[in-house]
């Protein structure tokens, strides 16, 4: 009986881990901070702070970066795209 309970607990833990990974946020620019890119910096994030703009998710390193970005999303997005594209070549 103990063995079956242990197997059930282990299976449940593995299933929870897979489900959590499936719900991890994935944003544009390989989860880089979009405001950081707009400033010419490569800052990797876990995308826990994000914003959806025109159906695309953009990640931020912290709430302050998101707030600054949202003051001029179109302009900052253009800067981020230009910088990110130049680094991909």
């Amino acid at each position: 009986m103990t063995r079956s309970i242990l197997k059930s607990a282990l299976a449940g833990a593995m299933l929870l881990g897979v489900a959590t990974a499936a719900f991890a946020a994935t944003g544009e620019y390989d989860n880089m901070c979009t405001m950081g890119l707009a400033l010419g910096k490569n800052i990797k994030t876990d995308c826990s702070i994000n914003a959806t703009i025109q159906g695309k998710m953009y990640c931020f390193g912290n709430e302050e970066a998101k707030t600054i970005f949202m003051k001029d999303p179109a302009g900052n997005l253009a800067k981020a795209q230009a910088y990110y594209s130049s680094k991909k070549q």
Side-chain angles (χ1 to χ4, degrees):
M1 181 162 166
T2 304
R3 182 175 270 180
S4 65
I5 292 172
L6 193 57
K7 284 182 183 179
S8 295
L10 183 58
M14 289 176 62
L15 186 58
L16 179 62
V18 170
T20 302
F23 289 111
T26 302
E28 297 292 312
Y29 308 124
D30 298 323
N31 286 4
M32 301 293 276
C33 175
T34 308
M35 189 64 225
L37 293 172
L39 296 172
K41 299 176 183 177
N42 296 320
I43 303 169
K44 192 73 172 164
T45 75
D46 63 4
C47 210
S48 59
I49 301 170
N50 59 67
T52 302
I53 301 170
Q54 296 180 346
K56 295 182 179 181
M57 183 183 301
Y58 297 96
C59 306
F60 300 94
N62 56 47
E63 286 292 339
E64 183 180 7
K66 180 180 175 182
T67 299
I68 293 167
F69 177 88
M70 295 306 281
K71 290 179 181 178
D72 181 15
N76 288 321
L77 198 52
K79 291 177 195 173
Q81 180 62 48
Y83 177 76
Y84 186 76
S85 295
S86 74
K87 292 297 178 185
K88 290 299 245 183
Q89 297 175 0

